[in-house]
Amino acid sequence: MESRLAMRPESGPWAVSNGRVAQLVYAAVAVAVVAGAFFIANEYGRNRAYETLEVRARSAAELNAVLLRTVLEKQRSLPFVLAQDRDVIGALTTRSDSLLQLVDRKLESLVGETRSSVIYLLNADGLTLASSNWREPTSFVGTNYSFRPYYTRAVAAGSAEHYALGTVSKRPGLYISKRVDGPSGVLGVIVVKLEFDDLETDWRRNTDPSLVIDQRGIVLIASVPEWRFMTEGPILDSQMGPIRESLQFGDAPLAPLDIKPALPQGQPDIVQARLPGTAKAEEFVRVQTPVPTTSWKLQLLAPAAPAVAEAVRTAQLLALIVLAPLLALTAFFLRRRGLALRRARAQEAARLELERRVAERTEDLSTAHAELVMQVEERQKMETKLQTVQQDLVQANRLAILGQVTAGVAHEINQPVAAIRAYADNAETFLGRNQIDSAKGNLKAIAGLTERIGGITEELRTFARKGTGDTGPISVSDVIEGALLLLGSRFRQRAGQIITQAPPPDIKVHGNRIRLEQVLINLMQNALEATEGGPASRISVRTAVTDGDVHLIVSDNGPGIPEAVMRALFTPFNTSKERGLGLGLVICHDIVADYGGRIEVRSTSAGTEFTVHLPRAS
């Protein structure tokens, strides 16, 4: 009795010790959960920041590539036009001093208007006859450039482009050359040198470093001047010799850039780069896009550290906001459970203490208690037997009733079974006579009878169980904003007045935002090119809404579309642009048609207006 009534481990000092252990275990688990959540939030935040930076950087890189292409296309047309100029051809043919002076002045004026670096005319032997810098001490007139690749390639192929340092100015630039042909053969070569100082200055205003590399990995254009003529990687000795002999990059060391991959190769491309003037390398997201119409590639480095830090902080804060209430609620319930256990242990200890005292003081009472227990056990046995007998009686009664029900069920089933047999025989006869409709009627009757039998058997089982235990709605204002985001810089540089009128955000059409932005960008670019260089140029983008349609209107005050082009405006390869392919409006027409819309055009000498009709989305 003494051993049975002794103090149990659940009470006293053991209980206090167990409570402290539980608290320590909970604290350790909570710390582990928070640490794990912070680790996951850190990885998630970093990945999200990288993805967001890559999207933004790719958009900026593509915009820079478009700007570079625009600058190139503007200059490429100049030598083509000059190669057909009568004064240029006359000067090459006659070598008249008066004509050469006239060409000097013409080239001099063109430099200011086209923002070229220098324009000069070579004869068939590569000797400079006229130049835009004829007034300057470093004039090219009289200098022979027959050794330069842009001369030899133009003579051989008709035109050439060559990026190199100037032999006189020592300034880098792209030489665009065009052969001038006469009745008896090659008369000479017209050369336009394009320097990219203005473009690099525009890129430098952005915090993201940009650079253009050629097919050999040499940096040609860079927003960071110190990176010019550096390389992506080491140049092979077999390539270095010809490069040095060509004097293309002068005595530039062509050293590799201090840019190294920070993570295993994958997407996005994370690199460590040290900018000039900084003490240590920083992390960047690098994107690369080809420069259209060239063999160059444009790279852009977006600083990653600030965005990653902010994204990680946000993710960890969100994780903490989610975990803090959960951990507090868990601690509350654990404490409540601990208090309940302690109360139960105290009650158990009090009961045991009372039993011990009673046992010590009243041994006789214990004996009587034992006898009473025996009597209770006997009574429990009798009650158990009584319950067993009662259950047997209940089961027997149920079986008896089930037997009675079974007889009735058999009768209920026999009737539809007999009918099924009769209907089946009739169906067989009808099929033999090829009376299909009659046979189908019998089969339907058989199906109904089987449902009846199923209902009957279900009733029987119920009785037996008794007592047992993709293009979606797109906001037009988002489309306009997206297009203006891509073309905003170009508009600010080249357009006069731009008027935009975006509808409310709830005005939507069915389609894909990127494709609709493509349509709007094409129309806006056409308007920009139509008004470029004109006095008081004005471009308008507005919308009009009717009951079932949304009208997106792009208009300009340009000279209008020529009648010959207007008659076949949406025909492939029909264009008024000298270097255009005539596919932009065809693509716009097809995109709009895919979404159930159409394009209307009105053009006069006072301007052109394109109206895109699209069904309105509810």
Side-chain angles (χ1 to χ4, degrees), residues 357-419:
R357 291 177 181 179
V358 170
E360 289 177 350
R361 295 176 182 178
T362 58
E363 185 65 28
D364 294 339
L365 184 59
S366 297
T367 303
H369 175 70
E371 293 177 354
L372 182 60
V373 169
M374 291 177 61
Q375 293 176 4
V376 170
E377 289 178 352
E378 290 296 330
R379 178 173 294 180
Q380 289 177 345
K381 292 178 181 179
M382 294 299 295
E383 289 179 352
T384 301
K385 290 181 179 179
L386 179 60
Q387 290 176 358
T388 302
V389 172
Q390 288 175 344
Q391 291 175 0
D392 291 341
L393 291 175
V394 170
Q395 184 66 22
N397 179 260
R398 177 172 296 172
L399 292 175
I401 295 174
L402 189 58
Q404 296 173 2
V405 172
T406 303
V409 168
H411 178 72
E412 289 294 326
I413 292 177
N414 283 337
Q415 287 183 347
V417 168

Side-chain angles (χ1 to χ4, degrees), residues 429-499:
T429 302
F430 287 140
L431 290 173
R433 297 174 182 175
N434 202 25
Q435 297 177 354
I436 304 302
D437 293 338
S438 299
K440 287 182 178 179
N442 282 11
L443 292 177
K444 288 182 179 179
I446 290 173
L449 290 170
T450 56
E451 290 179 358
R452 179 181 176 187
I453 293 173
I456 294 171
T457 56
E458 181 62 28
E459 288 293 331
L460 182 61
R461 287 195 298 270
T462 302
F463 178 79
R465 288 195 299 268
K466 289 183 179 178
T468 61
D470 187 176
T471 319
I474 302 298
S475 174
V476 178
S477 63
D478 289 346
V479 174
I480 296 175
E481 290 176 5
L484 289 176
L485 179 63
L486 296 177
L487 294 179
S489 177
R490 186 178 178 189
F491 276 135
R492 287 192 294 270
Q493 292 177 7
R494 300 171 60 181
Q497 184 180 8
I498 306 167
I499 303 171

Side-chain angles (χ1 to χ4, degrees), residues 112 123 163 216 291 477 557:
N123 65 9
Y163 188 96
R216 297 165 298 183
V291 179
S477 63
N557 63 344

Side-chain angles (χ1 to χ4, degrees), residues 9 71 106 122 147 208 217 239-240 270-271 370 539 548:
V71 173
K106 177 179 290 190
L122 310 179
F147 65 95
D208 301 339
Q239 294 180 329
M240 185 64 77
I270 312 301
V271 298
I539 298 172

